[in-house]
C-alpha cells in the first residue's frame, strides 16, 4: 500500500468492509494527528477500555517489549504514516476484547518462559490471528469441511451464493488490511471458523462484530484454544466472491499454485 494518505481509504476494497462501521467517525484528510487518534478511542464498539495509540517518534524509547508496553502502560506504539500500525489501531476499536485477550496470552506465555527470545506455539498462533486472521462465522458446517479439505471449487464456485448468507469473512488481521490496496495472487490468511445461528447474517455489522469479539475473547481464556497455528486452516482469500475481480471467471480458481490441493499424510 502506498504511504500516501487518502480520506477514502476504508472504501477502496471490499477486503476492508469489516472496518466500514468506522467510516462516519473518520473525517481525516491527512494522516491523523495524536489528538485525532485520542479522539478516535472514544468510538470503540464496546465499553472495554482502549489503550492509547501513541506516536513513538514523539515519546522516549520504551525498554519494554511491545506486548509488555500494551499490558503495563496501556499504550500501543503506532508509527506515524504507517498503514500497518494504523490498521492495528482500528482493529483495537473493532475487536477490543479479543485484542486484550491476545495481549494477555502473550504476557502469560512470556512469564512462563526462561528465554523470551523463543516464541511458543501459543504465541505463534496468537500472532497469526492478530496479523493474518480472518474470522469465518458460518451456519453451514459443509462449507467449513470444504475449507479444511481444500475443496476450493465447492467453497468458492458451487456454494458461491452462500457467502454473506451462510458464511461471512470478517478480517481481524491488520496485515491483511495493509495489503488490501495492492492485492497479489498468493495472499493467504489463517481462518478461524466460528459456528453461529442462521439469523446472525441478518444482524447489523456492529452487532455481528460485538458478538464475535466477546465470543473469541472468552475462548482465548481457555488454555487449549488456539494452542498451535495448525488449528487455523489456510484461506486463499482472493477467492472470496467480490474480493478480486478475476474470481468471476472459473479459470481463476484453476491456479493450483494459489488454490492448492490438500496433501494428506499417508499412514505407514
Amino acid at each position: 500500500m502506498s504511504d500516501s494518505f487518502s480520506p477514502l481509504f476504508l472504501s477502496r476494497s471490499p477486503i476492508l468492509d469489516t472496518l466500514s462501521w468506522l467510516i462516519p467517525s473518520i473525517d481525516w484528510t491527512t494522516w491523523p494527528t495524536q489528538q485525532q487518534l485520542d479522539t478516535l478511542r472514544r468510538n470503540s464498539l464496546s465499553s472495554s477500555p482502549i489503550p492509547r495509540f501513541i506516536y513513538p517518534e514523539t515519546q522516549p524509547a520504551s525498554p519494554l517489549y511491545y506486548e509488555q508496553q500494551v499490558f503495563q502502560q496501556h499504550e500501543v506504539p503506532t508509527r506515524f504514516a504507517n498503514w500497518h500500525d494504523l490498521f492495528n489501531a482500528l482493529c483495537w476499536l473493532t475487536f477490543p476484547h479479543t485484542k486484550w485477550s491476545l495481549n494477555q496470552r502473550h504476557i502469560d506465555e512470556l512469564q512462563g518462559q526462561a528465554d523470551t527470545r523463543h516464541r511458543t506455539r501459543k504465541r505463534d498462533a496468537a500472532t497469526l490471528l492478530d496479523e493474518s486472521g480472518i474470522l469465518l462465522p458460518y451456519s453451514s458446517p459443509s462449507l467449513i469441511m470444504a475449507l479444511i479439505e481444500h475443496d476450493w471449487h465447492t467453497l468458492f464456485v458451487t456454494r458461491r451464493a452462500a457467502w454473506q448468507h451462510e458464511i461471512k469473512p470478517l478480517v481481524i488481521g491488520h496485515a491483511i488490511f495493509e495489503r488490501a490496496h495492492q492485492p497479489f495472487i498468493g495472499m493467504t490468511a489463517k481462518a478461524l471458523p466460528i459456528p453461529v445461528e442462521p439469523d446472525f447474517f441478518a444482524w447489523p455489522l456492529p452487532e455481528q462484530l460485538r458478538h464475535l469479539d466477546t465470543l473469541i475473547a472468552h475462548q482465548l481464556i481457555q488454555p487449549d484454544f488456539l494452542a498451535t497455528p495448525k488449528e487455523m486452516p489456510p484461506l486463499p482469500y482472493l477467492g472470496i466472491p467480490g474480493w478480486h475481480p478475476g474470481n468471476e471467471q472459473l479459470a481463476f480458481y484453476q491456479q493450483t499454485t494459489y488454490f492448492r490441493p490438500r496433501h494428506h499424510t499417508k499412514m505407514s
Side-chain angles (χ1 to χ4, degrees):
M1 185 182 296
S2 169
D3 287 340
S4 61
F5 186 85
S6 166
L8 301 177
F9 74 98
L10 287 178
S11 304
R12 283 185 168 179
S13 169
I15 298 173
L16 298 165
D17 282 354
T18 305
L19 300 178
S20 62
W21 71 275
L22 278 163
I23 291 175
S25 304
I26 294 178
D27 58 358
W28 311 327
T29 56
T30 60
W31 288 97
T33 64
Q34 182 66 66
Q35 182 179 5
Q36 287 172 314
L37 285 182
D38 290 339
T39 299
L40 189 64
R41 293 169 63 226
R42 296 197 289 266
N43 293 309
S44 170
L45 273 179
S46 79
S47 58
S48 176
I50 302 296
R52 190 175 185 227
F53 311 119
I54 62 165
Y55 286 134
E57 299 90 343
T58 64
Q59 306 288 326
S62 175
L64 301 172
Y65 287 113
Y66 170 86
E67 291 89 355
Q68 292 170 327
Q69 187 173 355
V70 175
F71 182 76
Q72 295 181 24
Q73 300 179 345
H74 286 203
E75 294 177 344
V76 176
T78 306
R79 292 165 292 183
F80 183 75
N82 184 287
W83 285 112
H84 187 88
D85 287 9
L86 179 59
F87 282 124
N88 182 43
L90 300 185
C91 285
W92 269 99
L93 301 176
T94 305
F95 300 103
H97 294 293
T98 300
K99 295 285 269 187
W100 278 123
S101 291
L102 288 168
N103 178 250
Q104 183 67 59
R105 172 162 290 196
H106 282 292
I107 295 300
D108 290 345
E109 290 294 297
L110 282 168
Q111 290 175 343
Q113 288 182 259
D115 185 354
T116 57
R117 293 174 298 178
H118 298 288
R119 302 175 67 89
T120 65
R121 300 302 282 161
K122 279 190 176 182
R123 288 194 68 203
D124 284 343
T127 297
L128 283 169
L129 179 62
D130 195 28
E131 294 273 351
S132 302
I134 291 182
L135 310 180
L136 284 182
Y138 69 92
S139 60
S140 176
S142 63
L143 291 166
I144 301 305
M145 183 56 65
L147 168 69
I148 293 171
E149 293 296 328
H150 292 202
D151 183 357
W152 309 121
H153 187 83
T154 295
L155 184 63
F156 294 130
V157 180
T158 306
R159 300 293 304 278
R160 194 173 187 84
W163 286 89
Q164 309 300 331
H165 305 287
E166 298 175 62
I167 187 170
K168 182 171 183 173
L170 292 166
V171 178
I172 190 171
H174 50 282
I176 294 177
F177 291 130
E178 180 187 11
R179 302 186 193 110
H181 293 180
Q182 294 180 335
F184 58 89
I185 301 302
M187 298 199 311
T188 302
K190 281 291 191 177
L192 183 61
I194 306 164
V196 295
E197 295 297 324
D199 62 352
F200 170 90
F201 301 98
W203 298 354
L205 176 62
E207 189 174 347
Q208 292 177 341
L209 296 171
R210 277 191 290 266
H211 174 77
L212 296 177
D213 182 37
T214 302
L215 181 63
I216 299 165
H218 178 73
Q219 290 177 325
L220 281 166
I221 299 173
Q222 313 306 316
D224 295 333
F225 180 73
L226 286 190
T228 170
K230 291 183 179 180
E231 294 180 40
M232 294 180 288
L235 174 66
Y237 58 86
L238 294 186
I240 294 172
W243 279 28
H244 190 282
N247 73 27
E248 294 295 330
Q249 304 298 321
L250 183 60
F252 184 82
Y253 297 103
Q254 296 170 349
Q255 303 176 77
T256 55
T257 56
Y258 185 37
F259 300 100
R260 301 187 180 202
R262 183 179 180 189
H263 296 290
H264 293 273
T265 302
K266 292 183 179 180
M267 300 295 290
S268 56

